[in-house]
């Protein structure tokens, strides 16, 4: 299928696992479990959230967009699943996320571009299209890529940069 005929965002969604893998390449288990504050996520917890969201939010919604007329969606709230993410193993969470993402992108590439106009009712946002959700899914990915990048910067590189790191104001 040529890119003009497929849904938007699929290349970016497909690229996310490789971007995350690059960010994680030098992290130890301790690094992935490190939290900048008790109320903040660790890399492992972010990966567990991504894995959970991939199947329990996004894929479920895609399937409902395709199979139902105007399905209704509740807002997704990561705070509801904090216990599920605690004590997550980063590598296991990432592997599960990566497998799901590959399957999801393969499936999305089989859908015609017109599927992007399928509609659903979101309890907070009102009527939405599948294509709009794909853009939000991409924003969700990019936000967590940024979050993990900030965690890596703060944990692995800030102190090691010595005085060169003094001017950085990180917010992991």
């Amino acid at each position: 299928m040529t890119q003009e005929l497929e849904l938007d965002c699929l290349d970016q969604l497909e690229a996310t696992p490789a971007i995350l893998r690059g960010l994680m390449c030098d992290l130890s288990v301790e690094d992935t479990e490190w939290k900048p504050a008790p109320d903040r996520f660790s890399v492992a917890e972010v990966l567990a959230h991504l894995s959970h969201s991939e199947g329990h939010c996004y894929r479920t919604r895609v399937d409902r967009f395709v199979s139902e007329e105007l399905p209704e969606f509740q807002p997704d709230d990561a705070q509801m699943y904090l216990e599920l993410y605690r004590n997550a193993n980063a590598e296991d969470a990432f592997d599960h996320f990566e497998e799901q993402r590959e399957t999801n992108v393969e499936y999305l590439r089989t859908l015609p571009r017109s599927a992007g106009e399928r509609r659903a009712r979101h309890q907070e946002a009102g009527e939405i299209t599948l294509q709009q959700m794909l853009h939000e899914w991409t924003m969700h990915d990019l936000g967590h890529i940024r979050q993990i990048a900030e965690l890596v910067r703060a944990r692995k590189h800030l102190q090691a940069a010595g005085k060169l790191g003094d001017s950085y104001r990180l917010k992991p």
Side-chain angles (χ1 to χ4, degrees), residues 45-72:
E45 290 168 332
V46 174
L47 293 170
H49 165 68
L50 285 168
S51 178
H52 181 256
S53 295
E54 191 72 14
H56 290 90
C57 176
Y58 291 110
R59 181 53 191 258
T60 299
R61 288 180 179 183
V62 168
D63 289 343
R64 292 188 64 205
F65 263 112
V66 171
S67 66
E68 298 176 33
E69 291 302 320
L70 206 63
E72 186 168 325

Side-chain angles (χ1 to χ4, degrees), residues 12-106:
Q12 182 65 53
L13 289 170
E14 185 175 45
T16 296
I19 294 166
L20 292 172
R21 177 63 71 200
L23 290 171
M24 296 168 27
C25 66
D26 290 330
L27 299 183
S28 67
V29 171
E30 293 78 21
D31 294 333
T32 66
E33 294 172 350
W34 175 79
K35 296 170 78 148
D39 64 337
R40 303 290 295 173
F41 275 36
S42 67
V43 168
E45 290 168 332
V46 174
L47 293 170
H49 165 68
L50 285 168
S51 178
H52 181 256
S53 295
E54 191 72 14
H56 290 90
C57 176
Y58 291 110
R59 181 53 191 258
T60 299
R61 288 180 179 183
V62 168
D63 289 343
R64 292 188 64 205
F65 263 112
V66 171
S67 66
E68 298 176 33
E69 291 302 320
L70 206 63
E72 186 168 325
F73 301 143
Q74 295 181 357
D76 188 40
D77 183 4
Q79 300 301 315
M80 288 176 41
Y81 302 103
L82 290 179
E83 282 306 311
L84 182 64
Y85 307 151
R86 291 198 204 296
N87 303 314
N89 175 281
E91 198 60 40
D92 291 345
F94 178 80
D95 288 346
H96 189 242
F97 166 74
E98 186 175 41
E99 289 169 15
Q100 291 180 95
R101 178 56 60 90
E102 183 178 329
T103 300
N104 288 342
V105 170
E106 284 176 6

